Amino acid sequence: MQTANDNITAITSTEFDSALKPENDELDSASKAEKDVEAEKCLSIITLLSEDEKEKAARTSYKYLVASTSATSKDGDNSEKPPPPSTEERDKYAMAMARRHLRAENGNEKKALQKMRNTIEYRDKMKIDVIRQCFTKNESDVTPPPEEEEEYQYHIDNLAPNLLEGKLFVRGYSKDDRALYISRAHLFEARGYDTEWFLKYNIYTLERA
């Protein structure tokens, strides 16, 4: 019978939290036990993912995405690059995604795994990594293949005009220290509405918030 620790680096609850924003610095023994159970469930979930799925799950973190792409050198570039993230680091970020889905499904591992896979598939379909990096692809020192270069430029050409008009933006924080997301709907109505790009403007703004 396969366990959560088969074919995967063991991650303690303390290491698990290191990839996420701490929610409480002083946990009592009961909440610590709950976190241990939650971490074990997340391990069980990502054990069932393929290596490709784990990588894509980890890349939902923009920090991990930048680190993983910055480690790739352009052709002819001999400058020293940072080492790529380790498998353990990748699994921490994949677990962060697993935890979000696990909590959304009230601890149901089977539902969380399915929703996680659905999300990974959707992110691929929508080319969310291209959307997130289209304006900063040169910062990662990566040379995308020609077909991806076309995708980058396609998204730049369609996102830039509307982003410059300030239809969507993040500005300031609430009393709970949450970023404020502003959508000026009247600008979309006055200047035309395109369902595909309205969705992608939102994706870009939310992913980069």
Side-chain angles (χ1 to χ4, degrees):
M1 179 178 179
Q2 189 179 40
T3 67
N5 292 322
D6 291 339
N7 304 317
I8 194 168
T9 304
I11 301 175
T12 66
S13 60
T14 301
E15 292 173 323
F16 178 44
D17 283 342
S18 69
L20 308 164
K21 182 179 179 180
E23 297 177 357
N24 193 329
D25 293 329
E26 297 180 359
L27 298 172
D28 59 27
S29 58
S31 61
K32 176 64 166 59
E34 289 173 359
K35 278 185 171 288
D36 286 341
V37 170
E38 184 178 68
E40 184 64 26
K41 285 185 175 182
C42 290
L43 274 172
S44 297
I45 290 171
I46 68 170
T47 297
L48 297 174
L49 298 176
S50 67
E51 293 300 300
D52 183 58
E53 286 174 326
K54 291 174 192 174
E55 178 66 22
K56 289 176 179 178
R59 287 190 175 206
T60 60
S61 161
Y62 190 73
K63 180 179 180 180
Y64 179 88
L65 174 65
V66 171
S68 60
T69 56
S70 296
T72 306
S73 299
K74 292 181 178 180
D75 293 338
D77 185 355
N78 297 319
S79 59
E80 185 176 346
K81 301 296 178 185
S86 66
T87 299
E88 183 178 13
E89 289 175 303
R90 180 203 66 186
D91 290 344
K92 285 181 185 179
Y93 285 102
M95 283 183 67
M97 182 184 186
R99 185 166 96 163
R100 292 194 296 273
H101 285 279
L102 186 67
R103 289 184 171 183
E105 299 303 328
N106 296 314
N108 187 311
E109 293 176 52
K110 184 176 180 180
K111 288 184 178 180
L113 174 63
Q114 187 56 55
K115 291 292 181 67
M116 191 172 175
R117 282 180 162 152
N118 290 346
T119 300
I120 290 170
E121 183 180 350
Y122 177 80
R123 293 177 71 87
D124 270 351
K125 178 182 177 181
M126 292 299 295
K127 300 185 182 299
I128 289 180
D129 285 351
V130 173
I131 292 173
R132 290 196 290 175
Q133 291 189 300
C134 63
F135 294 106
T136 58
K137 61 187 177 68
N138 292 329
E139 296 177 9
S140 64
D141 294 325
V142 176
T143 302
E147 62 272 17
E148 287 192 15
E149 282 282 6
E150 293 178 5
E151 287 287 351
Y152 276 106
Q153 194 58 51
Y154 174 66
H155 283 82
I156 290 171
D157 292 343
N158 285 279
L159 286 172
N162 288 279
L163 291 172
L164 289 172
E165 289 180 353
K167 292 180 178 180
L168 300 169
F169 55 91
V170 176
R171 179 70 55 80
Y173 294 88
S174 70
K175 292 180 179 179
D176 297 323
D177 200 32
R178 296 181 181 275
L180 298 177
Y181 185 73
I182 312 298
S183 176
R184 302 167 72 192
H186 66 284
L187 293 182
F188 286 100
E189 294 172 358
R191 302 174 192 178
Y193 178 85
D194 183 295
T195 303
E196 176 189 359
W197 289 103
F198 176 76
L199 178 58
K200 289 185 175 181
Y201 304 143
N202 279 277
I203 289 172
Y204 176 83
T205 307
L206 287 168
E207 289 281 341
R208 295 303 303 268

